[in-house]
Amino acid sequence: MVATEAHLPKILTALPGPKAKAAVEADARFVSPPYTRVYPLVVERGHGCILEDVDGNTFLDFNAGIAVCSTGHSHPKVVDAIQRQSAKFLHMSGTDFYYPHMAELAERLAATFPGPGEKKVYFGNSGTEAIEAAMKLARYSTGRDKFIAFHGCFHGRTMGALSLTSSKLAQRRRFGPLVPGVYHAPYPDAAYIENQLFRALVPPEEVAAIVVEPIQGEGGYLIPPHSFLQELRQICDRHGILLVVDEVQSGCGRTGKMWAIEHTGVVPDIICSAKGIASGMPLSATIARAEIMSWKPGAHASTFGGNPVCIAAALATLDLLESELMANATDMGKFILDRISGWPSRHKMVRDVRGRGLMVAIELISHDARDRIVQEAFQRGLLILGAGESALRLMPPLVVTREQASFALDVIEELCSTADERR
Ligand code: PLP
């Protein structure tokens, strides 16, 4: 049995091990430095929720490559789809030519979009490109140029998406001027838009779109009340504004439904998806009502967008999400939330817990306490990361089992208890 076929992690060396140390040193010499590596995990291979590093240590992955490896690492059905497509052809620019499974995926994604009517899909390669496409499409189809986004939101790092992003100063510092005409409101405060922005700062008839994460991801896994999204829908309807939901992190079954917006009953105008859509292959989709997708040939495109191998991976991913993994996300999410719901009263370290499906946050009392637990968990073979100021975020692959979830929670609870005692 290869190490990654085990279900629980095993640490064999001091971390980082010798090969990992060498890889980190080589990286520091040759790779551009803006990446934010939190701990020295150097990956050799993965299977399901288990990753093996270059020194033979195995880890339980509760990051899923930042909410990307929805079907687990190298799911055999996804690998098979990739291998079969790679053997046929790797690329033939779907923006200039045709291959049938691009339309097949578009049809299947369109069918997942809430509400009646025809939908169309624009394919790109990354989350930020899905947002760029939505911004350009919103301007194109409305003839308006302004946008509203929210404090704490993360929508990507290309110039348009970055103009919406208001997560951390480091992401914006020295990159201005950004795209003009973007206004921010507190999250989740819909009334602020009418009472402040539309009274004093921006005429509503100039706003092309409100862009919102239905659950704020990098901002700390903040789950707004359903009424927030419902009020945004009403504001958009009142003023002819498009409602764009950024489901790059919250979508593709992670919350137990294909899109997190479905929990609210709200029908958006545009959905942006990436990350989990193709299990780790680079693909994004900007899905809109057909009448909004009114742009003409030449208006927007990308050489690699909708790459045939990525599309094959996405079709296999959708099969798995629909047949079993969305249901598992619901069950495992409930199992985790039930287990942690008493923690704020039991642990001095824990201020709040919240989640929907497998988007779960454990809010600790401080940034430092959170960062320390992330490091200690790594030493124990559990991969978790932070989000927002002081939250631990749990975003395992949707194939996670009860045994694995229990292991992760045992580790985190033990680390919280030790931290309680230190205080
Ligand atoms: N939107 C959301 C909600 C995200 O969480 C992210 C990435 O974390 C993005 C957009 C940008 O995606 P990418 O890094 O693929 O450009």
Side-chain angles (χ1 to χ4, degrees):
M1 187 168 83
V2 291
T4 48
E5 279 171 16
H7 299 292
L8 294 176
K10 198 161 182 191
I11 301 301
L12 306 173
T13 71
L15 295 178
K19 288 184 183 164
K21 226 183 227 164
V24 169
E25 279 163 19
D27 188 285
R29 280 184 65 201
F30 297 115
V31 177
S32 181
Y35 306 147
T36 45
R37 275 73 167 261
V38 173
Y39 37 73
L41 172 74
V42 182
V43 178
E44 176 70 20
R45 60 172 68 88
H47 176 79
C49 294
I50 297 290
L51 281 172
E52 183 181 332
D53 81 357
V54 285
D55 296 294
N57 299 298
T58 52
F59 298 82
L60 179 60
D61 182 10
F62 263 51
N63 297 328
I66 321 295
V68 168
C69 304
S70 47
T71 57
H73 293 283
S74 297
H75 192 290
K77 289 190 175 160
V78 177
V79 170
D80 181 55
I82 291 169
Q83 285 174 336
R84 276 187 290 118
Q85 178 56 45
S86 318
K88 287 197 217 163
F89 65 100
L90 292 174
H91 173 81
M92 198 49 215
S93 211
T95 57
D96 293 65
F97 307 101
Y98 300 92
Y99 27 90
H101 64 318
M102 181 186 264
E104 185 189 341
L105 180 62
E107 183 178 2
R108 284 188 62 182
L109 287 174
T112 67
F113 196 108
E118 301 219 331
K119 317 290 180 326
K120 286 195 167 157
V121 183
Y122 169 87
F123 290 109
N125 305 282
S126 62
T128 200
E129 283 176 74
I131 297 291
E132 292 292 330
M135 292 177 79
K136 289 177 75 176
L137 181 61
R139 278 189 169 174
Y140 191 102
S141 70
T142 62
R144 305 172 176 193
D145 65 339
K146 311 283 194 307
F147 294 94
I148 294 172
F150 294 89
H151 296 157
C153 68
F154 187 87
H155 296 292
R157 296 169 182 273
T158 48
M159 284 298 186
L162 182 59
S163 313
L164 303 176
T165 290
S166 80
S167 177
K168 294 196 180 85
L169 214 50
Q171 294 156 353
R172 289 180 149 238
R173 180 174 279 130
R174 299 171 71 161
F175 293 131
L178 300 175
V179 173
V182 176
Y183 299 82
H184 286 90
Y187 187 92
D189 185 354
Y192 183 94
I193 294 172
E194 291 280 10
N195 297 340
Q196 305 290 329
L197 297 184
F198 290 171
R199 281 211 186 136
L201 279 166
V202 54
E205 70 276 11
E206 293 181 12
V207 177
I210 296 177
V211 184
V212 65
E213 291 167 90
I215 295 176
Q216 212 174 69
E218 305 300 303
Y221 278 19
L222 306 179
I223 305 174
H226 294 341
S227 58
F228 169 60
L229 278 311
Q230 289 156 358
E231 283 165 39
L232 291 185
R233 180 70 272 174
Q234 287 159 10
I235 292 170
C236 287
D237 289 345
R238 227 171 2 252
H239 301 290
I241 297 169
L242 298 178
L243 181 61
V244 178
V245 290
D246 179 345
E247 295 263 13
V248 168
Q249 188 153 169
S250 57
C252 297
R254 179 150 291 280
T255 66
K257 292 187 185 286
M258 184 65 186
W259 311 114
I261 192 74
E262 292 177 71
H263 295 276
T264 69
V266 168
V267 175
D269 296 300
I270 300 177
I271 292 177
C272 297
S273 175
K275 285 195 184 283
I277 195 171
S279 292
M281 298 296 284
L283 182 71
S284 67
T286 304
I287 315 166
R289 289 191 286 108
E291 61 269 29
I292 295 170
M293 278 278 180
S294 60
W295 45 17
K296 299 283 179 279
H300 194 47
S302 143
T303 299
F304 288 115
N307 168 275
V309 182
C310 302
I311 297 236
L315 285 166
T317 301
L318 263 186
D319 287 344
L320 289 162
L321 295 180
E322 290 173 353
S323 62
E324 52 182 307
L325 296 186
M326 279 197 262
N328 193 54
T330 302
D331 292 349
M332 287 301 108
K334 185 174 176 324
F335 174 74
I336 291 173
L337 266 189
D338 284 351
R339 163 90 193 263
I340 65 179
S341 62
W343 287 13
S345 51
R346 256 203 332 273
H347 294 289
K348 283 183 271 180
M349 274 295 121
V350 180
R351 231 168 3 120
D352 183 38
V353 294
R354 53 186 177 266
R356 186 158 292 147
L358 288 174
M359 268 186 113
V360 177
I362 301 170
E363 188 80 44
L364 301 188
I365 52 162
S366 71
H367 185 85
D368 289 350
R370 187 270 312 278
D371 287 356
R372 190 167 177 165
I373 285 187
V374 167
Q375 293 301 330
E376 290 170 344
F378 171 65
Q379 293 294 330
R380 302 275 299 269
L382 174 66
L383 305 176
I384 46 175
L385 285 175
E389 187 50 29
S390 53
L392 291 172
R393 78 176 132 166
L394 311 185
M395 46 178 167
L398 310 189
V399 292
V400 70
T401 64
R402 202 171 266 250
E403 183 193 17
Q404 291 169 327
S406 296
F407 176 91
L409 297 178
D410 287 348
V411 169
I412 297 170
E413 183 158 30
E414 210 181 301
L415 295 174
C416 285
S417 298
T418 310
D420 287 346
E421 283 160 23
R422 275 200 297 260
R423 277 175 64 80

